[in-house]
Amino acid sequence: YTLKVVELESEFIYHQNSKDRLRVIIADMYRKLNAYGQCSVALDEANTLHLKVNVNLPEPPEIMLHQVPVPCIAELVSSLMFTESDLCLRAILPHINGVNSVFRISQLARVELWMVCVAVRHLYYYRLVTLVDVFQYGNEYRVLREGLQALFIKYEHEKNSAQMSKMLSYVGVVSKPPPSVEEVIALYCMFPGKTAGQLDTYVQTRGINVTTRRLVAFGVINGILKRIHTYVVLRDPSKPLEGARLCSLPAKVQQMVKEGSHCYDEYCSILLMPRTAVDNLFAKCPEICLIRR
């Protein structure tokens, strides 16, 4: 439509001078649309063509209160704080640091939990954040063969690439030399059968310049690691809750126990307890069994 109007008003394609520029304009549009997904091209002194590629992104998942939003861009806070974003987003952005869970962000920002979930869901939809589990030293992970193979193949073909250097600097210790790719791959191979705390002890004793929290986050985000969760399940769901321990829990937690589809992370977030305390809470409840998967 814009080209039609320009042609009617100024005979843009009819005149040879402007017609010769059309090839350069189309090439510039092609390059910018592929690189940035949008472009603005000046046709003449009075007309500018604005184009944007609209991508149908998949529907984002429901945000769980124990999940941790991790910024996909380093300047997330500075890039959105001074735009026309809503008040809720402005309140929670400073607390999105890859460590705080959705529940913790709600507390720190003093914003209703459901509003935080909606805001994080929007950020996830536009690929501004990704989601990982709450990091605890008692967490266990299994290695995904496809993800580890992809990392190894990338290392074989792109040893000195900027992307590989960025990965090493991310998982490394600040103000210290980054680890080698061989060390990172070897650490990922050690995850089966070990908790994050045990691996962290190994890293500390060997003097490897790796931050265990960031190593785990990078592995989960890039499909190298998958968390092994512990679920609380009633042995006989048809029976009502019994025992002083279970009956003394908040009503919401009792409902979670009855449903049997909630992992330890959710209990830790709601009860504001570490994993060891949740272990002690359910350890002496004979009507409950723990399933790890």
Side-chain angles (χ1 to χ4, degrees):
Y1 175 78
T2 303
L3 290 175
K4 180 180 178 181
V5 171
V6 172
E7 179 64 20
L8 292 173
E9 291 180 351
S10 60
E11 297 181 334
F12 181 79
I13 299 176
Y14 178 78
H15 292 294
Q16 190 63 38
N17 291 336
S18 56
K19 186 177 181 179
D20 292 339
R21 290 184 52 242
L22 193 59
R23 181 178 297 179
V24 178
I25 291 173
I26 292 176
D28 189 40
M29 287 166 45
Y30 179 81
R31 179 182 61 82
K32 289 182 178 178
L33 287 174
N34 279 287
Y36 310 110
Q38 58 186 6
C39 70
S40 296
V41 180
L43 299 178
D44 53 30
E45 295 179 355
N47 296 281
T48 302
L49 189 63
H50 301 280
L51 298 174
K52 183 176 181 179
V53 178
N54 290 320
V55 181
N56 292 324
L57 299 174
E59 189 72 15
E62 291 297 325
I63 305 299
M64 309 298 290
L65 55 86
H66 66 278
Q67 291 179 312
V68 177
V70 180
C72 294
I73 56 175
E75 304 82 9
L76 177 64
V77 176
S78 59
S79 61
L80 294 181
M81 279 295 285
F82 301 103
T83 61
E84 296 180 358
S85 54
D86 61 45
L87 296 177
C88 174
L89 201 57
R90 287 170 179 262
I92 70 171
L93 278 175
H95 305 291
I96 297 179
N97 56 5
V99 177
N100 295 326
S101 66
V102 170
F103 187 80
R104 182 61 177 158
I105 291 171
S106 173
Q107 291 182 315
L108 293 173
R110 297 182 180 181
V111 176
E112 292 287 342
L113 184 58
W114 70 269
M115 295 178 67
V116 176
C117 290
V118 171
V120 171
R121 196 164 185 255
H122 278 83
L123 293 174
Y124 183 87
Y125 178 77
Y126 290 107
R127 300 176 182 175
L128 296 174
V129 300
T130 187
L131 299 170
V132 298
D133 299 312
V134 174
F135 178 82
Q136 298 184 80
Y137 285 108
N139 291 356
E140 294 184 55
Y141 300 86
R142 65 185 181 90
V143 179
L144 301 178
R145 184 180 62 182
E146 297 80 3
L148 191 62
Q149 285 180 342
L151 177 62
F152 186 79
I153 292 171
K154 186 177 291 185
Y155 164 65
E156 287 291 314
H157 293 86
E158 305 174 12
K159 290 184 179 181
N160 300 316
S161 67
Q163 188 176 6
M164 194 63 66
S165 300
K166 189 176 181 180
M167 179 202 77
L168 295 177
S169 63
Y170 177 79
V171 303
V173 179
V174 179
S175 74
K176 289 187 178 181
S180 65
V181 182
E182 292 86 349
E183 288 176 322
V184 173
I185 293 177
L187 288 174
Y188 279 132
C189 293
M190 293 175 62
F191 264 99
K194 285 185 172 60
T195 64
Q198 291 171 333
L199 192 74
D200 186 68
T201 302
Y202 176 85
V203 168
Q204 299 297 330
T205 54
R206 295 299 180 95
I208 304 173
N209 295 333
V210 166
T211 305
T212 307
R213 180 192 295 273
R214 287 178 170 268
L215 182 73
V216 169
F218 183 87
V220 172
I221 292 170
N222 292 277
I224 301 171
L225 298 177
K226 185 174 179 62
R227 172 79 183 282
I228 300 175
H229 285 287
T230 302
Y231 293 87
V232 180
V233 180
L234 288 173
R235 296 182 184 275
D236 189 352
S238 61
K239 292 183 178 180
L241 291 181
E242 299 175 351
R245 282 177 175 264
L246 289 180
C247 293
S248 64
L249 293 173
K252 183 176 181 179
V253 178
Q254 291 185 31
Q255 183 61 34
M256 290 168 59
V257 173
K258 292 177 182 177
E259 292 173 359
S261 59
H262 301 276
C263 64
Y264 257 34
D265 286 351
E266 296 179 68
Y267 291 101
C268 291
S269 297
I270 290 179
L271 297 172
L272 299 178
M273 292 180 175
R275 184 184 176 88
T276 52
V278 176
D279 271 328
N280 294 332
L281 177 66
F282 293 120
K284 297 180 181 179
C285 298
E287 61 267 47
I288 280 178
C289 64
L290 302 178
I291 298 177
R292 298 171 67 254
R293 64 180 179 88

